[in-house]
């Protein structure tokens, strides 16, 4: 024989299941959107970090080295003029020492440039040859300055050394200008990545809010409909 009220029990059970599903599905969607937002944030940060590392380990390092070499060349010229223009032996000796130290710095920076895989090896080879020639001619200027042959040292520097310095500076510009272009490209790429990430996160957040609002409205309606009658009999119409 049929159990009294069995149909009502089954109906209430089925209604409870439907209510539970209507409550559960929005929560699952919100959790999925939150997980998607976390993934998007992680991927965006990772991409930005990788792009920044490629730039700082590559183009930026090359540009920084080339700029340091350019500044050292200018300091070297100032030291040479100081060595030539002073009559005091101690000042001349100090300027000569400075010029030789600056030549050492140039070689150290050149070694860094050679080790960087982003450098143009053909341009680096030409730069290396010109720096070797510059070192030889600088030593001749310093020898003349140490011998107090000021006019000869000045004439030799202007005729033989300065053209090589200008050639080296022109070659260094070939490393600096492309690095600046790469820097601009990287900044544009980072801005695009940031903008796309923000748009996607805002979109995910908006959808999450909509589902949360829908879920909240449903719970409020369910609460109002369930007042005064069994919980399982409340249905979303």
């Amino acid at each position: 024989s049929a159990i009294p009220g069995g149909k009502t029990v089954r109906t209430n059970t089925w209604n409870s299941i439907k209510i539970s599903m209507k409550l559960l599905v929005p929560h699952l969607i919100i959790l999925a959107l939150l997980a998607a937002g976390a993934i998007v944030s992680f991927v965006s940060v990772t991409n930005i970090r990788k792009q920044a590392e490629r730039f700082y380990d590559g183009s930026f390092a090359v540009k920084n080295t080339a700029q340091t070499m350019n500044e050292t060349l200018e300091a070297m010229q100032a030291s040479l003029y100081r060595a030539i223009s002073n009559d005091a032996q101690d000042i001349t000796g100090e300027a000569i020492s400075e010029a030789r130290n600056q030549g050492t710095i140039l070689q150290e920076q050149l070694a860094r440039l050679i080790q960087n895989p982003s450098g143009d090896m053909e341009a680096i080879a030409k730069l290396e040859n010109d720096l070797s020639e510059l070192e030889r001619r600088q030593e001749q200027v310093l020898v003349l300055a140490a011998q107090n042959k000021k006019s000869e040292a000045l004439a030799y520097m202007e005729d033989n050394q300065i053209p090589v310095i200008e050639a080296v500076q022109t070659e260094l510009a070939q490393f600096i200008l492309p690095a600046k272009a790469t820097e601009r490209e990287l900044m544009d790429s980072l801005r695009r990545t940031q903008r796309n990430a923000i748009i996607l996160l805002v979109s995910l957040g908006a959808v999450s809010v909509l589902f949360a609002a829908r879920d909240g409205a449903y719970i409020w309606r369910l609460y109002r409909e369930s007042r005064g009658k069994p919980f399982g009999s409340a249905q979303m119409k």
Side-chain angles (χ1 to χ4, degrees):
S1 61
I3 299 174
K7 185 176 181 179
T8 301
V9 171
R10 286 194 298 271
T11 301
N12 289 341
T13 301
W14 175 245
N15 288 339
S16 297
I17 292 173
K18 289 198 297 183
I19 292 171
S20 298
M21 291 301 296
K22 287 180 179 180
L23 291 172
L24 180 62
V25 170
H27 282 82
L28 292 176
I29 293 174
I30 293 171
L31 288 174
L33 292 172
L34 290 174
I39 292 171
V40 169
S41 300
F42 176 77
V43 171
S44 299
V45 170
T46 301
N47 288 337
I48 291 173
R49 179 180 58 79
K50 288 181 178 179
Q51 289 175 322
E53 285 178 352
R54 280 198 300 269
F55 173 71
Y56 283 108
D57 293 339
S59 299
F60 180 80
V62 170
K63 183 186 77 170
N64 189 50
T65 302
Q67 287 178 334
T68 301
M69 294 178 73
N70 206 24
E71 293 168 0
T72 304
L73 283 170
E74 294 175 359
M76 178 187 291
Q77 279 185 279
S79 296
L80 290 174
Y81 277 117
R82 185 162 168 254
I84 293 171
S85 61
N86 277 281
D87 293 327
Q89 194 64 32
D90 57 338
I91 296 177
T92 299
E94 182 182 342
I96 290 173
S97 178
E98 288 176 357
R100 285 176 175 153
N101 288 337
Q102 287 147 2
T104 301
I105 293 173
L106 282 175
Q107 293 302 320
E108 291 173 351
Q109 296 300 317
L110 177 62
R112 292 183 182 179
L113 205 59
I114 293 172
Q115 292 172 359
N116 195 297
S118 300
D120 184 341
M121 297 311 298
E122 184 176 348
I124 290 176
K126 188 174 187 307
L127 179 62
E128 187 175 12
N129 290 334
D130 284 347
L131 285 176
S132 296
E133 182 63 22
L134 178 62
E135 184 179 8
R136 185 184 68 79
R137 297 186 184 191
Q138 174 188 260
E139 189 58 32
Q140 181 62 26
V141 174
L142 295 177
V143 168
L144 292 172
Q147 295 173 353
N148 203 28
K149 297 178 180 179
K150 308 295 185 181
S151 58
E152 293 179 27
L154 180 61
Y156 185 89
M157 183 178 69
E158 292 180 345
D159 294 339
N160 297 279
Q161 188 178 19
I162 290 180
V164 180
I165 290 177
E166 292 174 349
V168 170
Q169 289 176 327
T170 300
E171 290 157 14
L172 290 174
Q174 297 178 13
F175 296 96
I176 296 173
L177 296 177
K180 288 183 177 179
T182 303
E183 182 177 2
R184 288 192 294 270
E185 291 175 4
L186 173 66
M187 294 307 299
D188 291 340
S189 176
L190 292 178
R191 290 190 188 99
R192 286 194 300 271
T193 301
Q194 183 185 39
R195 183 175 62 251
N196 294 337
I198 290 173
I199 291 172
L200 187 52
L201 288 173
V202 169
S203 300
L204 291 172
V207 174
S208 299
V209 170
L210 289 175
F211 273 98
R214 178 185 178 278
D215 200 23
Y218 176 72
I219 292 173
W220 175 248
R221 184 175 178 182
L222 185 64
Y223 167 74
R224 294 184 62 185
E225 291 181 353
S226 64
R227 293 178 65 182
K229 55 184 176 180
F231 177 77
S233 64
Q235 297 183 46
M236 185 70 179
K237 296 181 181 180

